[in-house]
């Protein structure tokens, strides 16, 4: 899947594509990459409680800050989350990603402030795009 902004791919400012939508278009942005990883790992048997989509402020080259989404994997040993991100090759511990400032995280079980344990409501009630992509992914067999 080649990187492309939603305005180019979907003709709108923000669109969260399901994995099959992104594959069909052959293009997607950070949310689409993170969502595809989330649903792929879930389908491979990784427990949902070990996965969180994380909305972050990414500090890019030159100090420019951009809204961005990554996938966090919480290993069983509890050493902190590992970050899967299309901006960086490889999977790195969150502790080595000083360029990312977490705002909130979520999965199909909850919504949290930052990446902590403080709940912020149910994601389906607070994130309409998440509800939409969950419905599309269910229709696709995820």
């Amino acid at each position: 899947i080649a990187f492309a902004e939603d305005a180019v791919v979907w003709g709108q400012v923000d669109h969260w594509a399901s994995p099959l939508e992104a594959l069909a278009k052959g293009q997607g942005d950070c949310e689409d990459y993170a969502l595809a990883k989330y649903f792929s790992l879930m389908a491979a048997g990784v427990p949902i409680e070990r996965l969180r989509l994380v909305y972050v402020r990414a500090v890019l080259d030159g100090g420019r800050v951009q809204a961005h989404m990554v996938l966090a994997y919480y290993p069983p040993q509890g050493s902190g989350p590992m970050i899967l991100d299309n901006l960086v090759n490889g999977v790195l511990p969150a502790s080595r990603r000083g360029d990312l400032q977490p705002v909130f995280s979520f999965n199909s079980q909850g919504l949290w402030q930052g990446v902590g344990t403080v709940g912020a409501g149910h994601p389906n009630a607070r994130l309409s795009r998440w509800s939409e992509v969950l419905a599309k992914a269910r229709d696709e067999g995820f």
Side-chain angles (χ1 to χ4, degrees), residues 43-65:
V46 174
I48 289 174
E49 60 269 11
R50 301 227 175 269
L51 301 171
R52 284 193 195 177
L53 294 151
V54 186
Y55 178 79
V56 300
R57 290 184 190 98
V59 180
L60 305 176
D61 293 333
R64 186 171 60 94
V65 177

Side-chain angles (χ1 to χ4, degrees), residues 99-141:
D99 60 319
L100 302 178
Q101 302 165 348
V103 178
F104 64 88
S105 59
F106 62 98
N107 62 24
S108 56
Q109 297 178 330
L111 173 67
W112 299 270
Q113 297 173 11
V115 291
T117 58
V118 177
H122 196 279
N124 293 1
R126 307 250 345 244
L127 300 170
S128 61
R129 294 200 193 294
W130 175 239
S131 295
E132 292 166 8
V133 81
L134 274 177
K136 290 185 287 188
R138 276 190 207 107
D139 289 346
E140 294 170 355

Side-chain angles (χ1 to χ4, degrees), residues 5 8-9 16 19 23 29 36 41 55 59 64 85 91 99 111-112 120 131 134:
E5 298 288 340
V8 173
V9 179
W16 291 13
L23 284 172
D29 66 0
L41 289 170
Y55 178 79
V59 180
R64 186 171 60 94
D85 181 8
V91 178
D99 60 319
L111 173 67
W112 299 270
S131 295
L134 274 177

Side-chain angles (χ1 to χ4, degrees), residues 4-95:
E5 298 288 340
D6 286 333
V8 173
V9 179
W10 299 100
Q12 54 187 294
V13 176
D14 195 24
H15 177 85
W16 291 13
S18 69
L20 295 184
E21 282 181 316
L23 284 172
K25 288 283 187 176
Q27 297 176 315
D29 66 0
C30 63
E31 292 96 355
D32 304 328
Y33 289 133
L35 290 164
K37 293 170 191 175
Y38 175 87
F39 287 110
S40 296
L41 289 170
M42 184 187 72
V46 174
I48 289 174
E49 60 269 11
R50 301 227 175 269
L51 301 171
R52 284 193 195 177
L53 294 151
V54 186
Y55 178 79
V56 300
R57 290 184 190 98
V59 180
L60 305 176
D61 293 333
R64 186 171 60 94
V65 177
Q66 176 177 311
H68 185 54
M69 188 179 288
V70 299
L71 180 65
Y73 168 74
Y74 290 77
Q77 63 272 21
S79 60
M82 302 295 291
I83 304 299
L84 292 80
D85 181 8
N86 66 293
L87 295 178
V88 174
N89 289 330
V91 178
L92 296 174
S95 61

